[in-house]
Amino acid sequence: MPATSANDAPVIQIRDVTKIYEMGDGTIQVRALDGVSLDISDGEYVAIMGASGSGKSTLMNIIGCLDVPTQGTYQIDGQAVESMSNDRLADIRSRKVGFVFQTHNLLPRLTALANVELPMMYGHWPNRRQRAENALELVNLADRMDHRPTELSGGQQQRVGIARALVKEPSVLLADEPTGNLDTSNTAEILNIISDLNHQNGITVIVVTHEQDVAARADRVITLSDGHIIADEPNGARSADESSPFGGERGRERAKRDRRGMRVEPRGKVDAGDIQGSATVAVGDHRSD
Amino acid sequence: MSPLDIIRTSLYSLSSNRLRAALALLGIVLGVCSVITLMSIGRGSTDRITELIQGLGSNLLTVVPTGAPLTLADVDALGDPLYTPSIKAVAPQIGTFGTIHINNNTTQAPVNGVTPEFLQVRNLEMATGTFIGAPHVESRAEVVVLGSQISEDLFGNQDPTNAEVRINGRRFRVVGVLASQTGFGSMDDQALIPITTAYYRLSGQRIPGGNISVEQISVQASDVDSVDQAIEEIETVLRLSHRLTDADDFTVFNQQEILDTFEETNQTLVVFLGAVAGISLLVGGIGIMNIMLVSVTERTREIGIRQAMGAKRRDIVAQFVTEAVFLTFGGGIIGVVAGITLATVIDGRFLIGAEWNTRVTNDIPLIALIVSVAVGLFFGIYPAVRAARLNPIEALRYE
């Protein structure tokens, strides 16, 4: 199936979104996002980059309808989310968003098939089993359907995670550091699957990452810093060096260091982020958590 | 989320920690088991008391004097079928206390002066010999009928018929022994002599006019349905013969009333026992709540995942409440089986010095099951609501 051409109305439309977290007794206010505006069209493959504390997690939570903005408007598929109740948000998550997590977040006692069926439980989906099987076939796991997560490799678990995100045909596939816990070969495998889903099945993909080679697969790279978008550029050459805000050599260097850090601490995200954060303090464009 | 999904999800969650589920279940099992056992004991003892009282005959009425004495003249009047068509038999009674002895055996016992009707009115049966007859009453004969216990105390296993005993120093000939009879008004430890003998030979009291005063009159109504009619007739006859214009100088006790009072008291006992057992069920419920709270904390991440997958608050609430109800319902069923078994096992046995009587009526397990489900609902809701209120972002980050 060829990539569908982008519709006129964007799938994601974010206007002047500000998110303020209140710490303590409301005395300390943290502006995690500050006046962010962003459009993402149907079929796009977007990477959101930024260091820890840049606001990319907050942006992801808002795009994924796990959180609502303090100010500004956000529409997903033309539906305004900012004033929705918890249940309506849950409904939007159920129908429009497919999450892929860094730590897979599969339910350990369910088989791969049951894990993929899980999101369809919340909403009245017919043919759940058939759909789940199709989704698992799409990520080449047809022969592992009855395995539990502990019986699967990290890469296979993440493929189950992707199948679970896909199964309801969401408006957007939202991947948060999808390869953060994986080694190099599994990373490549997962990124290939995500690219294929975007190119061949026309699924809108948003990947949140701090890794250059993950972002390099995207058509468009958005870079956040201190709650602002500091760069939003197409990634035509799909070259990490061209679009890197850090410059080629340093970017590659950082990516290596991150992976090395993760091999030592396989649980990953926080530790890797800390390593990254401390390594880039000298650069001066990051804020530590 | 469909009901089937909710049930499947809850069973999946429970099966993930079987030991803990089993321990939480145990509290409910014990609670329900004790509710059923105690309530069955309560019901059983009600039955037993009813049985004992009805052993006396539920058409038995007792008249006692509360002012002027009742006399044999009153007894004759009550026995006249012309005035009291609903009365079958009338048995007057004088009670004294006597020392009965033979050779070197001595026993103290109530000695009752009665008439031949006493045997029928009080549903008594003879073990050996004969009862006091009309000629005995007429001749103030010194004959005695012994209760089974007294006979055993004085004569052991020997037949005492025609033996001579002394009651308060006077010689009496034993004409018969009563069959042993349990229950209220048992005559096992009493001796019966003709009423005239009791009055003239043993008792010192006399009333003017040569009439024999009696302590109580037992009246047998013709059947259970005519009890009320019989009471009216007794009152009419006695008020006439006593020439009363205002308050009665006697009281008529109705066996049915006594029975009702007992049953009422016992019903209170049953409810009380049930409530005591209910406390253990409550404790079991608190155990369930505790387990569910731990479970919610432990599964914070799972809840986050489900929320991200589109679970609404009510889906999360339904899942956790269903888990709690499964626990209590499962515990309830096991408890019902255990309770019925226990109640059946102890029925009719002598334990810790008492005879236990139990009766499991259909409503007891039903109530126990309903209550256990209600306990699950009540104690499951708070943990479930806490689970549903989790912030999905924080829940997903929870380690």
Side-chain angles (χ1 to χ4, degrees):
Chain A
M1 178 173 141
T4 52
S5 58
N7 291 336
D8 290 351
V11 178
I12 306 283
Q13 189 181 64
I14 291 172
R15 288 286 175 277
D16 293 323
V17 160
T18 299
K19 181 70 190 181
I20 299 170
Y21 290 113
E22 298 199 339
M23 310 285 210
D25 304 324
T27 46
I28 308 164
Q29 290 194 334
V30 178
R31 278 179 179 264
L33 287 178
D34 195 358
V36 169
S37 294
L38 181 64
D39 281 357
I40 295 173
S41 304
D42 192 16
E44 268 196 287
Y45 187 166
V46 181
I48 297 177
M49 297 200 70
S52 299
S54 61
K56 66 181 194 299
S57 295
T58 307
L59 181 59
M60 189 206 70
N61 287 339
I62 287 176
I63 292 175
C65 299
L66 287 168
D67 209 349
V68 289
T70 315
Q71 287 160 25
T73 62
Y74 167 40
Q75 290 188 353
I76 181 166
D77 257 1
Q79 287 189 293
V81 165
E82 63 272 3
S83 55
M84 278 185 180
S85 69
N86 281 311
D87 275 359
R88 288 283 293 127
L89 280 178
D91 201 39
I92 293 285
R93 286 199 293 273
S94 167
R95 288 186 289 116
K96 307 241 178 248
V97 185
F99 286 97
V100 177
F101 302 97
Q102 177 180 11
T103 50
H104 321 316
N105 278 340
L106 303 176
L107 295 187
R109 290 177 52 83
L110 294 181
T111 62
L113 190 66
N115 262 295
V116 176
E117 277 190 58
L118 181 72
M120 291 187 286
M121 242 165 52
Y122 303 106
H124 297 279
W125 289 75
N127 304 326
R128 284 180 357 199
R129 194 185 174 84
Q130 187 57 47
R131 296 178 72 96
E133 282 173 2
N134 292 346
L136 280 167
E137 272 164 27
L138 209 60
V139 295
N140 304 321
L141 275 179
D143 54 340
R144 293 280 192 279
M145 285 183 192
D146 296 326
H147 290 232
R148 294 199 173 162
T150 46
E151 298 158 351
L152 298 171
S153 73
Q156 288 169 332
Q157 287 184 42
Q158 193 58 302
R159 282 193 270 160
V160 175
I162 291 171
R164 181 180 63 179
L166 283 179
V167 73
K168 292 199 290 189
E169 295 168 8
S171 301
V172 54
L173 185 75
L174 199 55
D176 180 15
E177 306 277 5
T179 59
N181 278 10
L182 301 177
D183 61 22
T184 321
S185 66
N186 276 318
T187 296
E189 183 191 333
I190 293 299
L191 291 179
N192 286 338
I193 288 174
I194 293 177
S195 291
D196 287 351
L197 288 171
N198 175 252
H199 294 145
Q200 291 168 24
N201 302 61
I203 292 167
T204 311
V205 177
I206 302 174
V207 175
V208 175
T209 185
H210 61 266
E211 289 181 68
Q212 286 301 321
D213 41 2
V214 173
R217 303 288 195 114
D219 302 325
R220 176 181 167 195
V221 178
I222 296 166
T223 311
L224 283 175
S225 178
D226 270 341
H228 298 276
I229 293 178
I230 57 166
D232 182 353
E233 45 207 17
N235 197 6
R238 294 179 188 262
S239 148
D241 294 4
E242 293 297 320
S243 60
S244 165
F246 305 107
E249 278 308 309
R250 203 189 285 169
R252 263 203 294 274
E253 189 73 14
R254 277 167 38 78
K256 269 188 217 159
R257 209 167 34 227
D258 287 350
R259 278 205 300 280
R260 202 165 52 234
M262 275 176 295
R263 256 179 238 119
V264 177
E265 285 287 331
R267 278 202 298 146
K269 180 181 174 184
V270 172
D271 306 83
D274 285 345
I275 291 164
Q276 177 194 11
S278 59
T280 52
V281 165
V283 182
D285 59 351
H286 288 87
R287 195 180 58 193
S288 176
D289 273 354
Chain B
M1 214 175 167
S2 72
L4 191 67
D5 284 330
I6 295 172
I7 289 168
R8 206 182 286 151
T9 304
S10 301
L11 287 179
Y12 151 75
S13 305
L14 288 175
S15 68
S16 65
N17 202 328
R18 279 159 218 241
L19 177 64
R20 201 162 63 190
L23 288 175
L25 207 79
L26 198 60
I28 298 294
V29 170
L30 291 178
V32 170
C33 179
S34 52
V35 165
I36 290 196
T37 313
L38 287 181
M39 288 188 79
S40 309
I41 289 172
R43 287 276 153 79
S45 68
T46 306
D47 285 4
R48 185 80 183 122
I49 290 168
T50 308
E51 196 181 298
L52 293 178
I53 293 174
Q54 278 175 341
L56 288 174
S58 51
N59 50 352
L60 181 69
L61 299 168
T62 309
V63 188
V64 296
T66 50
L70 290 169
T71 64
L72 280 185
D74 292 327
V75 175
D76 290 341
L78 288 174
D80 189 338
L82 192 63
Y83 302 113
T84 56
S86 307
I87 289 174
K88 193 167 162 193
V90 182
Q93 186 180 344
I94 300 176
T96 58
F97 205 77
T99 306
I100 308 171
H101 90 254
I102 174 166
N103 303 329
N104 294 324
N105 282 344
T106 303
T107 185
Q108 305 268 338
V111 177
N112 294 299
V114 298
T115 57
E117 290 81 11
F118 194 79
L119 188 72
Q120 177 199 349
V121 171
R122 296 293 289 267
N123 281 340
L124 298 174
E125 276 171 25
M126 300 305 296
T128 57
T130 55
F131 195 67
I132 294 159
H136 292 137
V137 175
E138 234 157 78
S139 64
R140 303 171 194 176
E142 286 167 327
V143 293
V144 63
V145 171
L146 298 177
S148 59
Q149 188 62 47
I150 292 183
S151 167
E152 203 184 313
D153 288 350
L154 295 178
F155 297 96
N157 291 328
Q158 288 177 314
D159 182 1
T161 314
N162 290 324
E164 264 191 4
V165 296
R166 284 178 181 268
I167 299 176
N168 291 356
R170 284 181 168 273
R171 285 170 193 231
F172 280 79
R173 185 170 56 88
V174 178
V175 291
V177 177
L178 293 171
S180 178
Q181 189 196 40
T182 54
F184 292 92
S186 161
M187 289 284 146
D188 287 3
D189 58 350
Q190 305 194 17
L192 304 176
I193 58 175
I195 191 164
T196 47
T197 318
Y199 187 75
Y200 290 112
R201 307 247 195 260
L202 287 185
S203 158
Q205 71 183 134
R206 299 280 188 278
I207 58 165
N211 241 328
I212 295 179
S213 69
V214 299
E215 264 168 20
Q216 70 173 53
I217 304 171
S218 300
V219 176
Q220 190 179 26
S222 5
D223 54 59
V224 178
D225 295 332
S226 58
V227 165
D228 289 340
Q229 183 66 33
I231 292 173
E232 261 177 49
E233 288 167 10
I234 292 167
E235 283 171 348
T236 310
V237 166
L238 291 182
R239 285 180 70 85
L240 279 174
S241 77
H242 290 192
R243 299 196 178 98
L244 294 178
T245 50
D246 48 0
D248 289 349
D249 59 1
F250 57 89
T251 306
V252 182
F253 288 107
N254 182 350
Q255 205 66 37
Q256 194 58 46
E257 276 171 17
I258 298 171
L259 192 65
D260 289 347
T261 311
F262 264 112
E263 276 184 348
E264 210 171 284
T265 314
N266 214 260
Q267 198 56 43
T268 315
L269 181 76
V270 170
V271 171
F272 177 73
L273 286 176
V276 170
I279 290 172
S280 61
L281 199 54
L282 198 72
V283 173
I286 293 169
I288 295 282
M289 178 143 128
N290 194 8
I291 289 298
M292 292 310 294
L293 283 173
V294 171
S295 173
V296 167
T297 307
E298 240 184 33
R299 284 150 60 193
T300 298
R301 203 186 179 94
E302 178 197 322
I303 295 162
I305 295 170
R306 290 182 186 276
Q307 287 174 324
M309 297 298 132
K312 295 185 173 68
R313 279 189 174 174
R314 64 167 176 270
D315 296 324
I316 305 285
V317 168
Q319 178 188 336
F320 280 87
V321 167
T322 308
E323 268 177 51
V325 169
F326 267 137
L327 278 179
T328 54
F329 186 69
I333 288 187
I334 299 173
V336 163
V337 173
I340 291 176
T341 310
L342 189 62
T344 315
V345 165
I346 65 173
D347 188 26
R349 281 174 202 270
F350 280 90
L351 297 167
I352 24 179
E355 187 184 359
W356 296 79
N357 294 286
T358 62
R359 183 167 60 103
V360 185
T361 49
N362 290 337
D363 58 331
I364 294 177
L366 195 69
I367 291 170
L369 274 184
I370 291 173
V371 168
S372 61
V373 167
V375 162
L377 277 176
F378 183 78
F379 288 104
I381 280 183
Y382 174 67
V385 166
R386 252 174 70 148
R389 289 228 176 111
L390 286 174
N391 179 334
I393 298 169
E394 283 164 22
L396 277 169
R397 235 183 258 150
Y398 188 84
E399 292 289 335

